[in-house]
Amino acid sequence: MSGPRPGRTHDIIAARHDHIVEHLKAAGLGALADLGFLGLDKDCNNHVVVTGYKATRARKLTTGQKTANRIIAAGRAPVEHGFAHLKTWRILTKLRTSPARATNLLRALLVLTNLELDR
């Protein structure tokens, strides 16, 4: 989990600032991402960030692209459910503290959530 950013910061800008692609490559990992990260991983030979396909008015998605989008969405679903679960922690709805403390609190809640789910 990265440090705090202004709410207006786009996902791809934050990922580039934190050098997410480089960290993933160094660790030998990959990531499934939503369409907000299209264009983040420009290395055509060795993608580590997999995004879906985006339809436009001029170009509709093929059946294969739609299937790929469904598979990526299924892989990302547990993460999205985890974010939704974090939002149920009441303390986050009325948090009045510095962003640095909020980040530490959120990290602690993630640990507690994982302990709770492992039982």
Side-chain angles (χ1 to χ4, degrees):
M1 178 177 297
S2 67
R5 299 233 186 292
R8 66 183 179 272
T9 304
H10 194 277
D11 294 342
I12 198 166
I13 301 298
R16 284 183 178 144
H17 184 268
D18 290 336
H19 308 285
I20 296 297
V21 173
E22 292 81 8
H23 289 297
L24 287 170
K25 284 182 182 179
L29 298 173
L32 295 177
D34 63 20
L35 295 179
F37 292 93
L38 274 175
L40 176 64
D41 190 2
K42 296 183 181 188
D43 184 0
C44 297
N45 297 325
N46 188 19
H47 281 291
V48 294
V49 178
V50 178
T51 58
Y53 295 93
K54 190 173 189 175
T56 64
R57 290 183 190 196
R59 189 180 63 83
K60 303 297 181 201
L61 294 180
T62 66
T63 305
Q65 290 171 329
K66 289 178 184 179
T67 302
N69 280 353
R70 277 193 293 276
I71 292 169
I72 291 169
R76 292 186 62 250
V79 175
E80 296 298 334
H81 288 227
F83 287 139
H85 183 74
L86 277 176
K87 291 178 182 179
T88 65
W89 287 83
R90 188 171 174 188
I91 192 169
L92 295 177
T93 62
K94 298 186 192 271
L95 190 61
R96 304 287 183 261
T97 186
S98 72
R101 285 189 179 193
T103 300
N104 290 335
L105 175 63
L106 201 51
R107 286 178 179 155
L109 290 176
L110 277 171
V111 169
L112 291 174
T113 299
N114 287 335
L115 288 175
E116 180 180 289
L117 294 176
D118 287 342
R119 289 184 189 186

